[in-house]
Each structure stands twice: as C-alpha cells, then as structure tokens.
Amino acid sequence: MKPFIFISLLLLSINGISQDFTPNYEESKIPAYELPPLLTSNDGKAVGTSEQWMDYRRKEILSDFEKYVYGKIPEGDIDIKTEIIKEKNALDGKAIMKEVKMTFSGNNQEIYMDILIYLPKIKNKAPLILAYNFNGNHTIINDPNISLTTSLVGNNKEFGITNNRATEASRGAKHNRWAVEKIIDRGYGLATIYYGDIDLDINDLSDGIHALFYKSGQTQPAKDEWGSIAGWAWGLSRAMDYFEDDDDIDESKIALMGHSRLGKTSLWAGAHDQRFAIVISNDSGCGGAALSRRRIGETVWRINTSFPHWFCDNFNEFNNNEDALPVDQHMLIALVAPRPVYVASAQDDKWADPKGEFLSAFHAGAVYKLFGLEGLPTANMPEVNEPIMKSVGYHIRTGKHDVTDFDWEAYLDFADKHFGN
Ligand code: GCU
C-alpha cells in the first residue's frame, strides 16, 4: 500500500465519519432492553452446571460471536517461522530483553510480527503480561536496544514521522502508558507487539494477515469471516504459541491486557483461546466490555460506520437494531470463565459507557457462580478508585480514556491474587 493512501485512510480511521451523530449519555433515554440469557441454550434448555456451560452453552455463544460480531478465522494453512533476534540485559541489569520475530507466509505473501519481551531475573519461569501497543514496540520505553518497527505507523509531527516510518525520536513516546519497571519489580514479564504488524488499522482488509488466508480469487473476508479485531486476536494466540516454547516464561500464567480497541481485542482473544490465564480489558467500550443494548456513547451503528474493518460484515445487521443481536457483551466476558477476568473503566470516558462496562462484568458473574467462583458482589457500581477483585475484577478510576499507573497497580494486584505471586 502506498504511504499517502495509508495516511488518508488512517485519518479516516481516527476521525471516523463526519455524518451527524449525537451520542446519548442519559440513562433515562436508554430504550427498554432485555439481555439475551446467559444460562438458557439456544433451544431453550436451562444451563445449571459448569459442565453444561462448557459442553454446549459456551460453544453456542462463542459461535454466535464468531458469526455475528468478530468473524470466523478462515481455515487454511500458513507457514510460521520463529526466530529470537536479540537477547540483552535491560533496565540496568535487572531484566532481560528479548526480541522474537514470527514470520507468517501464505499465498506468496509474507508478514511478520515482532514480540518485544522484558523478563525479570528470577529463579523460576516468569509469569507475563501480554499487551499490544498502538505505535511500535520502541515507543513503550526509551531503550536504544529496541528495534524500530519497520511496519507502517501513523504520521506524527512531534516525532518527525512524515512518511509512515518510525523515527528515533519516537522512542519511549508512549512510556506513560507502560509501567515497564513496575511490572518487572513486581516479578512479572511484559510482552508487547505493535498491532499494525498483523493488520494495519485502516479500512482495507486486502493485506495484512487476512491476505495470507484468502482462497484463490478472494480479496475480502466473507460476511461471517474475520475483521481486524479477530485478526489481531489471532496474532496474540501466535505469541502464546511462542511462550509455550520459551523456557524462561511460565505459559500457564499469561495475563492478556489491552486498551480500548485493543481491549476489545484482548477480550475476544481471551474468550477464544483458553490458554490465556487472565484477561484484562482497559476502557474497551463498544464492541468490548460495554453492553451494546444500552446504546450510551458509541453505538453499534456508529462503530461499524467509523471503523468498518474491525468486525465482520454481519455485525452491520445490528446497526440501530441492537435488540436483534443474539448476544450481548456480558456473554463475551462470561466466555472467559472460569479464568479470572478484569474490566476497567475511566470516569471521564463516557464514550465507552463505564456503567455498561461494569454491568457486563456484573452479569457475567452468573457463569462464574456455576464454577463455585465469585463474580462482582452487587449490581451497584463501586466508588471511583476502589477496585473489586473476585474472580471477576472491576474498577472505575478518575480521569480520562487512558492507561495509567493506577490501572497497572490494579492489574498486578489481581494477577498476584490469582497467580499466588
Ligand atoms: C475510538 C472508538 C472506540 C475505541 C477507541 C480507541 O474512540 O470509537 O471504539 O475503543 O477509538 O481504540 O482508542
């Protein structure tokens, strides 16, 4: 793709559409709605045990999310090559930094994904947090040893990025969002990947991971096939494949975290791939943790119009038609059960509907109960900055749509609690 096309498409992707849209933020204006039942199968059977949940209800819900929301991963074989590119001391010697390149090829095309890994120097295999980043691995911390991404990135005057290529000046540009040292000091590793390695975040699914799987003559996913979110989720599972082979990493203790569109991605990846031991959604909003039927802030129509490439085409059937959706997002969170799941909101992030994020997490608790586990205790939101940590965790913190040290502290506490660290 030519860079100038990318720039204009990226602008489109960031600014969304110009069509008039007045989001509703008033609870009193939410149309009456009923959530699809978690514990009744599609043919009306009651689901009363964890075995029944695992044997059929979970499968039905997963398949509905595939068919109507995120899209199925097409069948097909691609080649995967994994290489450790670098291994160095980092953070004044208290950590090891590794770069791992996974190259994917199919249909005579090749893409790669660079996994940047920081590991604490501990005796045992390290538990680890895996999270995508938005701007390139080199932006999470100012470490000259990190390779600049060679994938296309968004232009940015401040960092001298004019031709969609990463610059030295953008090293560490997003360090505020990444508590790397805190994570290491708490005994966890951190792995991150630039999401654009898997699929550029533009309304074009002719390249990236999708292109490697197309059948002969196909240039677009079918209506029920994957959009970008499912593509990014696929990439997280491939990183998990690598962790299973790395003797320094405890693959049974991988917590998946994501912010915003990447929070939607971490929920879908964690729902799909049960190898992830904890799933964390940071401010994921519409199409993530927030209930679609509340229609507060961003709606299904709005997200499908601004970001047509994120979901499968079938999701458009539910534009201004949320009540027809066979699922709602509490069911996505429930798919993580019995593994711990954490949903976080920010008070000023009205667009993502904090209450809708909370209610999803609350309702998912019914499935945790089947496993004898505790969900959120009441349907009333907690006070701000007061995390609740059961098998379902939740907090709403003060401040805006972002990832802060407060968020990281909560995630590490939650991981300590469940991993027994
Ligand atoms: C937009 C979009 C959200 C998304 C967010 C982000 O605001 O409407 O759905 O979560 O971008 O990813 O930052």
Side-chain angles (χ1 to χ4, degrees), residues 107-365:
N107 283 334
N108 296 318
Q109 298 180 50
E110 193 171 272
I111 65 167
Y112 67 84
M113 156 175 119
D114 285 331
I115 316 174
L116 168 66
I117 306 171
Y118 281 91
L119 294 174
K121 289 189 179 164
I122 53 177
K123 276 199 217 96
N124 302 330
K125 290 177 162 210
L128 178 143
I129 299 177
L130 169 64
Y132 270 122
N133 66 73
F134 282 87
N135 304 85
N137 294 347
H138 61 284
T139 62
I140 74 152
I141 186 170
N142 190 352
D143 177 345
N145 285 322
I146 302 175
S147 307
L148 290 186
T149 180
T150 51
S151 291
L152 295 177
V153 295
N155 284 336
N156 180 315
K157 271 202 196 118
E158 197 186 335
F159 301 113
I161 305 175
T162 53
N163 59 355
N164 299 111
R165 295 292 176 191
T167 56
E168 283 293 330
S170 55
R171 276 191 194 282
K174 294 287 170 184
H175 70 96
N176 282 348
R177 282 192 173 176
W178 296 88
V180 183
E181 204 150 346
K182 190 189 298 278
I183 294 169
I184 294 293
D185 289 345
R186 297 271 304 253
Y188 290 86
L190 171 70
T192 188
I193 305 160
Y194 170 46
Y195 79 140
D197 282 357
I198 291 291
D199 187 31
L200 289 176
D201 192 359
I202 53 180
N203 184 18
D204 177 357
L205 297 174
S206 67
D207 54 10
I209 191 59
H210 301 86
L212 270 46
F213 282 86
Y214 286 141
K215 295 185 203 78
S216 153
Q218 188 181 7
T219 54
Q220 281 299 309
K223 276 174 169 299
D224 64 350
E225 282 181 343
W226 55 353
S228 293
I229 289 178
W232 297 322
W234 179 92
L236 293 170
S237 290
R238 299 296 70 77
M240 184 60 165
D241 298 341
Y242 168 75
F243 301 149
E244 288 182 327
D245 290 338
D246 186 324
D247 289 340
D248 299 331
I249 295 174
D250 184 347
E251 72 268 22
S252 71
K253 291 186 179 164
I254 308 289
L256 195 53
M257 184 282 208
H259 170 60
S260 209
R261 69 198 69 183
L262 298 177
K264 308 180 208 299
T265 303
S266 69
L267 284 173
W268 180 233
H272 213 260
D273 187 335
Q274 298 181 68
R275 293 174 298 171
F276 293 111
I278 292 181
V279 181
I280 302 165
S281 146
N282 193 85
D283 305 356
S284 62
C286 181
L291 290 174
S292 300
R293 280 169 174 76
R294 279 172 50 85
R295 291 156 263 206
I296 288 275
E298 188 169 31
T299 64
V300 170
W301 170 80
R302 172 65 197 220
I303 203 166
N304 277 329
T305 313
S306 312
F307 305 99
H309 55 294
W310 283 0
F311 302 89
C312 69
D313 260 8
N314 280 342
F315 198 35
N316 286 301
E317 284 174 30
F318 308 98
N319 290 345
N320 300 317
N321 185 24
E322 288 84 352
D323 293 320
L325 260 169
V327 288
D328 211 319
Q329 301 304 107
H330 62 308
M331 298 163 113
L332 177 66
I333 294 171
L335 289 176
V336 179
R339 295 162 294 147
V341 66
Y342 198 104
V343 173
S345 308
Q347 204 176 21
D348 301 339
D349 188 16
K350 304 259 186 282
W351 181 242
D353 185 16
K355 186 163 179 195
E357 294 176 324
F358 167 78
L359 285 175
S360 266
F362 171 73
H363 289 299

Side-chain angles (χ1 to χ4, degrees), residues 369-385:
K369 217 166 150 196
L370 293 181
F371 289 89
L373 298 168
E374 270 182 278
L376 299 174
T378 78
N380 299 321
M381 286 180 82
E383 296 296 315
V384 285
N385 301 331

